[in-house]
Amino acid sequence: SIRPGWFYHPSEDAKVRSPKNLVDLYYQSVGRNSLLLLNVPPNREGLLSDPDVVSLLEFRRILDETFKTNLVAATPVSANEPLTIDLADEPTFDRISIQENIANGQQIVGGKIEYWTGTDWKPLSTFTTVGHKRLLRFPAVKAAKIRMTITEAKGGPSPRPVQVAEIGVFKASAGE
């Protein structure tokens, strides 16, 4: 719930979840291949209260700003490992979105992301299940390319091709 309880109480107007807290909740749910079902109870007039609306609008603005510009130069459709992804103009980034083609079932069990320093590959993040969407957060880095390796897929260690629907590389909003 956006409030401490399930129902609206005027005494909880100052206890509404902050936009930053809602963003964290988004990464912990949608960013881990789940849904975000957020209870926003109407007030006694049947309307959403102003503190709830203000928080929700800022939450939406932060997500829109973060995911507005995908820094990937060209999105791959399928991956045989490892998958190297070129980035436009060596950007600074701190978020990666991975989406699997789940029409054929969820296949990815684990993987890792590395970034190119100009001389070698450095570890950036590891991940488990991808499914519909996996969002990764990490300290900002600057790189011309990243590399994704699937370390495990259903059916055993992967040389098995895994279908990637989309990969996105982003710079988080200052509001996060």
Side-chain angles (χ1 to χ4, degrees), residues 89-109:
D89 302 323
E90 196 172 346
T92 299
F93 57 95
D94 52 12
R95 303 291 183 266
I96 291 179
S97 170
I98 307 167
Q99 293 183 280
E100 188 175 354
N101 177 5
I102 57 173
N104 298 326
Q106 187 173 307
Q107 301 297 316
I108 298 173
V109 175

Side-chain angles (χ1 to χ4, degrees), residues 152-163:
E152 187 177 354
K154 286 189 178 176
S158 182
R160 178 179 176 173
V162 174
Q163 291 185 331

Side-chain angles (χ1 to χ4, degrees), residues 44-153:
R44 294 186 180 164
E45 289 78 39
L47 304 172
L48 300 180
S49 70
D50 288 342
D52 298 33
V53 171
V54 168
S55 188
L56 288 169
L57 288 174
E58 180 62 8
F59 164 58
R60 179 75 263 165
R61 188 200 65 73
I62 291 168
L63 290 181
D64 288 347
E65 185 177 326
T66 295
F67 296 106
K68 178 181 178 183
T69 305
N70 187 348
L71 303 170
V72 171
T75 302
V77 177
S78 63
N80 278 328
E81 310 176 68
L83 176 63
T84 301
I85 300 151
D86 293 323
L87 306 176
D89 302 323
E90 196 172 346
T92 299
F93 57 95
D94 52 12
R95 303 291 183 266
I96 291 179
S97 170
I98 307 167
Q99 293 183 280
E100 188 175 354
N101 177 5
I102 57 173
N104 298 326
Q106 187 173 307
Q107 301 297 316
I108 298 173
V109 175
K112 65 181 180 178
I113 302 281
E114 300 165 291
Y115 70 99
W116 181 248
T117 66
T119 56
D120 61 347
W121 292 101
K122 295 278 186 186
L124 185 58
S125 185
T126 59
F127 57 91
T128 57
T129 303
V130 172
H132 172 69
K133 184 180 285 187
R134 180 66 173 206
L135 297 173
L136 305 172
R137 296 191 282 185
F138 44 85
V141 296
K142 184 175 182 155
K145 53 188 167 181
I146 61 172
R147 180 169 69 183
M148 180 175 75
T149 304
I150 306 302
T151 56
E152 187 177 354

